[in-house]
Amino acid sequence: MLTVVRVHLPSDIPIVGCELTPYILLRRPDSLLISDDIPESAPVYGCFLRYKWYRIQSDKHVAMCSIHPSEQATLQCLACVKAKIPVAKSYHCSPKCFSDAWQHHRLLHERAASAVNANGNEENTGSGVNTSLTSLQSSGSLTNGTTPFPVVVTQRSGGETWFEVGRSKTYTPSADDIGHTLKFECAIINAVTKLTVGNASTMMSRVIPAPSPTPRRLISVSGVDIPLHLDLDSRLSSSGTFTVLSYNILSDAYATNELYSYCPSWALAWTYRRQNLLREIAGYRADIVCLQEVQSDHFEEFFAPELDKHGYQALFKRKTTEVISGNINTVDGCATFFRRDRFAHVKKYEVEFNKAAQSLTEALVPSAQKKTALNRLLKDNIALIVVLEAKFNSQGVDNTGKRQLVCVANTHVNVHQELKDVRLWQVHTLLKGLEKIAATADIPMLLCGDFNSAPGSAPHALVSMGKVDPMHPELAVDPFGILRPATKLTHHLPLVSAYTSFAQIPVVPGLAQKRRKLDPSTNEPLFTSCTKDHFGTLDYIFYSADSVTVESLLELLDEESLRKDTALPSPQWSSDHIALLAGFRCKPRTRR
């Protein structure tokens, strides 16, 4: 007879919109352990498994804090209630919690007020950047089974009522579950008699709403109409303009409790992070999206199909596998998405730095050192380059009849800090490839990604200045001469970092704090990655300044607010990096 040995859930705290799939360990009559699902249509040893989910409701309603969702709420913002903002966002656990959150909380009120149309009819105020996860679920996904079924109520003692809410192995908590305890039950059923011959169950903590990240606004570089609040329906759509997002989303393979012990385990679970990331990415409504650290299986099974629903076409390049071993499906890579209504795919290039390293070693390194050189140079990194054709026209009469092309490079230069020569060589190799593409067409260049290089580093200097000072300290370590002579470390692409445009914003009231988020020596953000072990800028969006201009930038996060309770990732932000987004305008091209 089968027996249930263990029932384990991926998270002790269930979150609205995050699928729960228990791990069930069974023991067969021969004492072997299995974790297979056993449906009624294919019984094993004359038995099958039946699943049930219950919501246990107490006579006492418990509201949870919108900022610290594992804490019980003690106060409510009445202005939210009057503005008909989703009630879950109105709760706070303490006066200090409400006071600390006020700067961003008041944006909810402003958005609610602006959502009242000219006729006085209220529109949906919950469709902005901080939309809850449930808004991204289809209506059918919360039936938690193949077909809807009547709710079964079993009255229990002590003022509790058990509602049967699901009959499949997986369950997705809904807004109705907030504040209530869930119970999962797995029963072993005799296939002939249909009687229960064994069961096991597990209780969970109270269901909490998905934490709402701090809303981020789109800031106009001109300073004329700042600040522009970014919501789902607010994206640049005028002639010749488009937006680009770059984001290292933190691969699930790296999101371990050992590395990020300060982040609650439920917030590190992929079932939670994937929905939180999707909400954030889809909420920005960028025309072009460059993601790094996207696992192969997550691209195929989640991001590509989910972003397809939002109008995006997807392209992907997985890292090469000479270094990473194990399940090839969990190898991460770079994914580039673009809106089908704004761009069309023209061409795709794939850069494998390992292939370039093998060619370089063959040409430059003596035979006796080739093996050692390859061990240093083979680091599995890649770049994905996509040429797109805009479905909009640039401004200017001279552009009539000309195709507006855009070249977008997406890369993750993930090299150990002590291998600075390898990192610089990879960036130089990518730039030379982009130069070849630029030589074939009059095309704007965008270079996005996580370069693992701080402002002022040799790779940053090479990209943004076109050369590296021969006396730069990072050139001192070059055991195989791959960087010599230093005069070869050049390129002729007029690349500029988009976020340095923040320094151009006119000094007007309300914008002084934006400048404080920049490094005064480089005009780059103070940080794009914030963990307990690292604080600094590693991510960039570079653009060719001769063909496009920066019109707007997504505001940067505040270090103090991030570090007040925790670093990244956190329940609010599901990566150890922050997203960068820039709005560009194509410059009119002259006839040649």
Side-chain angles (χ1 to χ4, degrees):
M1 185 67 65
L2 290 173
T3 56
V4 180
V5 177
R6 183 187 179 197
V7 175
H8 175 72
L9 285 156
S11 171
D12 294 331
I13 301 179
I15 317 294
V16 170
C18 296
E19 182 182 90
L20 297 169
T21 303
Y23 172 78
I24 301 170
L25 188 64
L26 303 170
R27 178 176 284 113
R28 304 192 319 185
D30 58 6
S31 296
L32 287 178
L33 300 177
I34 60 173
S35 58
D36 302 328
D37 191 21
I38 305 177
E40 186 174 4
S41 59
V44 173
Y45 294 105
C47 299
F48 64 90
L49 299 182
R50 184 188 66 196
Y51 311 108
K52 286 189 179 182
W53 290 86
Y54 297 94
R55 177 198 306 143
I56 304 175
Q57 294 189 195
S58 172
D59 292 342
K60 181 181 178 181
H61 176 71
V62 177
M64 309 306 290
C65 176
S66 61
I67 304 300
H68 307 97
S70 58
E71 301 294 327
Q72 187 171 330
T74 61
L75 59 89
Q76 183 179 27
C77 175
L78 294 181
C80 288
V81 177
K82 292 179 181 179
K84 298 186 177 180
I85 292 169
V87 67
K89 299 182 184 297
S90 66
Y91 293 117
H92 294 267
C93 57
S94 68
K96 184 178 185 302
C97 169
F98 181 71
S99 176
D100 290 344
W102 173 247
Q103 178 182 355
H104 303 290
H105 179 85
R106 65 180 180 181
L107 293 177
L108 296 175
H109 301 171
E110 295 172 3
R111 290 171 50 216
S114 64
V116 179
N117 62 24
N119 297 323
N121 296 321
E122 294 181 0
E123 300 173 351
N124 180 11
T125 61
S127 60
V129 171
N130 58 341
T131 303
S132 66
L133 295 176
T134 51
S135 68
L136 295 177
Q137 308 293 323
S138 62
S139 59
S141 67
L142 297 181
T143 59
N144 290 297
T146 53
T147 57
F149 58 92
V151 174
V152 178
V153 180
T154 304
Q155 186 66 38
R156 307 292 289 180
S157 61
E160 290 184 342
T161 305
W162 290 22
F163 289 87
E164 183 184 329
V165 293
R167 293 182 182 177
S168 63
K169 187 175 181 179
T170 62
Y171 181 74
T172 303
S174 69
D176 293 334
D177 296 318
I178 293 176
H180 301 299
T181 301
L182 293 180
K183 177 182 178 181
F184 171 71
E185 180 181 86
C186 173
I188 299 175
I189 308 297
N190 186 295
V192 177
T193 65
K194 301 298 189 286
L195 297 177
T196 301
V197 294
N199 64 67
S201 63
T202 183
M203 301 283 287
M204 303 188 70
S205 301
R206 295 182 185 273
V207 176
I208 64 173
S212 298
T214 303
R216 297 176 67 184
R217 295 173 294 179
L218 196 63
I219 308 298
S220 169
V221 172
S222 68
V224 174
D225 51 354
I226 49 96
L228 294 174
H229 182 69
L230 182 68
D231 61 31
L232 282 169
D233 299 316
S234 171
R235 66 184 179 93
L236 299 177
S237 59
S238 60
S239 176
T241 61
F242 59 96
T243 54
V244 179
L245 173 75
S246 184
Y247 197 4
N248 181 329
I249 63 170
L250 179 58
S251 167
D252 185 45
Y254 309 141
T256 65
N257 288 305
E258 290 75 22
L259 285 176
Y260 305 105
S261 58
Y262 50 84
C263 183
S265 58
W266 59 264
L268 276 180
W270 179 242
T271 50
Y272 171 75
R273 290 204 307 120
R274 69 179 183 182
Q275 293 293 352
N276 205 29
L277 288 165
L278 176 63
R279 172 213 53 76
E280 183 185 2
I281 294 166
Y284 293 135
R285 290 200 45 118
D287 295 305
I288 301 170
V289 176
C290 295
L291 303 182
Q292 301 87 42
E293 286 198 24
V294 181
Q295 287 186 192
S296 300
D297 53 345
H298 296 162
F299 173 79
E300 296 291 344
E301 299 169 8
F302 184 73
F303 285 109
E306 289 298 325
L307 287 174
D308 176 72
K309 299 174 185 176
H310 292 270
Y312 288 95
Q313 185 171 330
L315 296 165
F316 181 71
K317 172 58 181 173
R318 183 176 59 200
K319 291 196 301 191
T320 47
T321 56
E322 284 84 348
V323 175
I324 295 182
S325 59
N327 185 353
I328 195 171
N329 291 325
T330 64
V331 176
D332 66 280
C334 295
T336 299
F337 304 82
F338 59 90
R339 298 188 67 87
R340 288 186 292 265
D341 62 339
R342 300 279 284 161
F343 289 95
H345 177 222
V346 176
K347 199 163 186 177
K348 172 185 176 183
Y349 301 90
E350 296 181 348
V351 178
E352 295 185 359
F353 293 114
N354 278 0
K355 288 184 178 179
Q358 290 167 346
S359 300
L360 176 71
T361 303
E362 192 65 33
L364 294 182
V365 180
S367 298
Q369 295 181 302
K370 288 188 188 301
K371 184 176 180 179
T372 305
L374 285 175
N375 286 336
R376 186 177 183 87
L377 291 173
L378 295 180
K379 294 297 173 241
D380 209 33
N381 302 319
I382 54 89
L384 173 62
I385 303 173
V386 179
V387 176
L388 304 174
E389 179 179 0
K391 294 183 178 179
F392 53 82
N393 293 320
S394 300
Q395 292 183 342
V397 295
D398 289 338
N399 296 329
T400 305
K402 289 187 177 181
R403 300 170 71 194
Q404 177 62 68
L405 299 177
V406 177
C407 180
V408 183
N410 181 8
T411 191
H412 183 196
V413 182
N414 185 16
V415 179
H416 293 301
Q417 288 298 318
E418 63 270 18
L419 302 178
K420 292 182 173 62
D421 56 321
V422 180
R423 183 185 299 114
L424 179 56
W425 170 78
Q426 288 188 356
V427 173
H428 182 247
T429 300
L430 175 56
L431 289 167
K432 286 303 179 183
L434 292 177
E435 274 192 321
K436 291 179 181 179
I437 297 173
T440 65
D442 180 13
I443 181 171
M445 290 285 170
L446 298 167
L447 176 53
C448 305
D450 175 2
F451 291 80
N452 271 290
S453 302
S457 65
H460 180 266
L462 177 60
V463 177
S464 59
M465 301 176 63
K467 61 182 180 180
V468 181
D469 187 334
M471 301 305 293
H472 197 290
E474 291 184 16
L475 298 182
V477 179
D478 184 16
F480 298 104
I482 62 175
L483 305 179
R484 292 193 287 267
T487 52
K488 78 174 184 180
L489 298 174
T490 62
H491 70 90
H492 298 94
L493 299 171
L495 295 175
V496 177
S497 176
Y499 268 77
T500 61
S501 298
F502 258 134
Q504 303 171 16
I505 298 177
V507 180
V508 296
L511 282 181
Q513 61 178 356
K514 308 301 179 189
R515 290 177 177 272
R516 287 200 297 269
K517 297 176 183 179
L518 300 178
D519 182 335
S521 62
T522 64
N523 288 328
E524 293 284 11
L526 287 173
F527 72 95
T528 63
S529 175
C530 177
T531 70
K532 288 295 186 183
D533 300 321
H534 177 267
F535 178 85
T537 292
L538 303 174
D539 309 83
Y540 306 91
I541 299 177
F542 296 102
Y543 68 99
S544 50
D546 63 337
S547 51
V548 293
T549 58
V550 177
E551 292 229 318
S552 55
L553 295 163
L554 187 64
E555 70 174 340
L556 297 165
L557 294 182
D558 181 65
E559 174 191 0
E560 182 180 354
S561 63
L562 277 182
R563 292 203 167 217
K564 186 178 299 180
D565 298 314
T566 185
L568 297 177
S570 68
Q572 288 73 30
W573 304 102
S574 288
S575 176
D576 54 351
H577 292 247
I578 64 171
L580 301 180
L581 184 147
F584 296 100
R585 178 178 295 277
C586 297
K587 290 183 178 180
R589 294 174 294 176
T590 58
R591 294 186 184 276
R592 292 183 176 178

